[in-house]
């Protein structure tokens, strides 16, 4: 039995949302007026801009956001801390959200960044339903969970030539092996380009 080698099972490629669909989501989808709409957009923007996990998102505290240094401190699996850079646009959105929160919810829990219409910390199912609702408007991928936006973040970075070690750090992976799966999506994209463009493909 020791001489028998089990056949390799190919890893399933991470499901992700195509870039044109994320652009549609943020540039053309109308979010409802009021606090719920504002929070829903903030959830989606943060998940896509940072690649953080659902649990990390709902536990972000206001003091973890550094608007001056344009970064966000995240406490990941195993209480491992990592710093995620933010662009100016998402930092502006966060600043505006915190300002509006103090006007909208004078008695809200301002410890946590994201709160619901009652001013309370978000719970996982709320975030899951928000992501499912909006991804259903722009994509036909079967899975429509917060983790899909994490895959999307990583895939879009690798597709645009990001260093794999940098993506590993941004995602908070403990080993590079977990991050390497995203290179397969890039290879699949290259194959598609090759098939369409090469005369003998």
């Amino acid at each position: 039995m020791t001489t028998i080698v089990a056949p390799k099972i190919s890893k399933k490629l991470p499901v992700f949302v195509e870039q044109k669909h994320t652009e549609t989501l943020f540039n053309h989808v109308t979010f409802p007026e009021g606090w719920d709409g504002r929070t829903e957009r903030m959830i989606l923007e943060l998940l896509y801009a940072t690649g953080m996990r659902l649990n990390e998102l709902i536990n972000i505290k206001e003091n973890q956001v550094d608007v001056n240094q344009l970064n966000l401190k995240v406490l990941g699996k195993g209480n491992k801390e990592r710093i995620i850079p933010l662009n100016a646009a998402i930092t502006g959105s966060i600043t505006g959200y915190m300002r509006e929160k103090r006007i909208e919810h004078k008695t809200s829990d301002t410890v946590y960044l994201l709160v619901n219409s009652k001013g309370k910390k978000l719970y996982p199912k709320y975030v899951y339903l928000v992501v499912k609702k909006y991804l259903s408007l722009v994509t036909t991928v079967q899975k429509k969970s917060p983790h899909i936006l994490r895959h999307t973040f990583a895939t879009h970075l690798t597709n645009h030539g990001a260093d794999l070690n940098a993506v590993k750090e941004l995602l908070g992976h403990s080993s590079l092996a977990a991050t390497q799966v995203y290179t397969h999506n890039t290879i699949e994209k290259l194959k598609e380009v090759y098939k369409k463009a090469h005369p003998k493909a």
Side-chain angles (χ1 to χ4, degrees):
M1 286 298 284
T2 54
T3 59
I4 297 169
V5 178
K8 277 190 175 180
I9 300 166
S10 58
K11 275 188 177 180
K12 283 180 77 175
L13 293 183
V15 176
F16 68 97
V17 182
E18 286 186 42
Q19 192 172 327
K20 62 183 178 183
H21 295 145
T22 56
E23 286 168 3
T24 300
L25 174 62
F26 294 115
N27 298 329
H28 302 292
V29 169
T30 304
F31 290 80
E33 293 288 324
W35 189 252
D36 283 338
R38 193 167 191 124
T39 300
E40 287 167 4
R41 184 177 179 100
M42 194 77 256
I43 287 167
L44 294 162
E45 282 186 1
L46 275 167
L47 287 171
Y48 178 58
T50 65
M52 69 176 80
R53 301 173 179 96
L54 168 59
N55 200 48
E56 293 168 349
L57 177 85
I58 61 176
N59 285 300
I60 300 171
K61 294 176 180 173
E62 287 195 0
N63 63 10
Q64 289 172 236
V65 182
D66 189 333
V67 294
N68 297 315
Q69 296 297 318
L70 299 182
N71 66 46
L72 174 66
K73 200 179 283 182
V74 172
L75 199 63
K77 282 184 177 178
N79 279 339
K80 278 177 68 180
E81 203 174 75
R82 70 184 189 278
I83 304 286
I84 302 176
L86 301 171
N87 61 44
I90 187 81
T91 306
S93 295
I94 292 168
T95 306
Y97 182 87
M98 289 193 292
R99 187 173 56 245
E100 288 295 318
K101 181 166 60 172
R102 279 154 177 74
I103 298 166
E104 184 84 15
H105 306 292
K106 291 182 175 66
T107 59
S108 76
D109 180 358
T110 52
V111 172
Y112 292 98
L113 174 63
L114 298 168
V115 297
N116 62 21
S117 56
K118 292 177 182 173
K120 301 293 181 187
K121 178 187 171 187
L122 302 184
Y123 50 91
K125 191 168 184 183
Y126 177 92
V127 175
Y128 181 86
L129 291 173
V130 165
V131 173
K132 188 178 180 184
K133 169 183 162 186
Y134 286 98
L135 289 188
S136 297
L137 300 176
V138 297
T139 181
T140 55
V141 294
Q142 282 193 320
K143 285 186 178 179
K144 299 178 180 74
S145 67
H147 214 74
I148 295 304
L149 286 174
R150 182 170 161 85
H151 290 323
T152 302
F153 165 84
T155 303
H156 289 183
L157 281 173
T158 51
N159 281 352
H160 286 277
D163 176 72
L164 206 60
N165 273 305
V167 177
K168 169 187 170 286
E169 294 301 318
L170 289 168
L171 291 171
H173 283 162
S174 54
S175 76
L176 197 59
T179 318
Q180 281 174 328
V181 68
Y182 297 107
T183 61
H184 297 300
N185 277 329
T186 311
I187 291 162
E188 290 305 310
K189 189 182 176 192
L190 288 172
K191 282 181 184 173
E192 274 181 44
V193 171
Y194 177 79
K195 280 178 189 170
K196 286 177 186 172
H198 198 282
K200 291 188 179 294

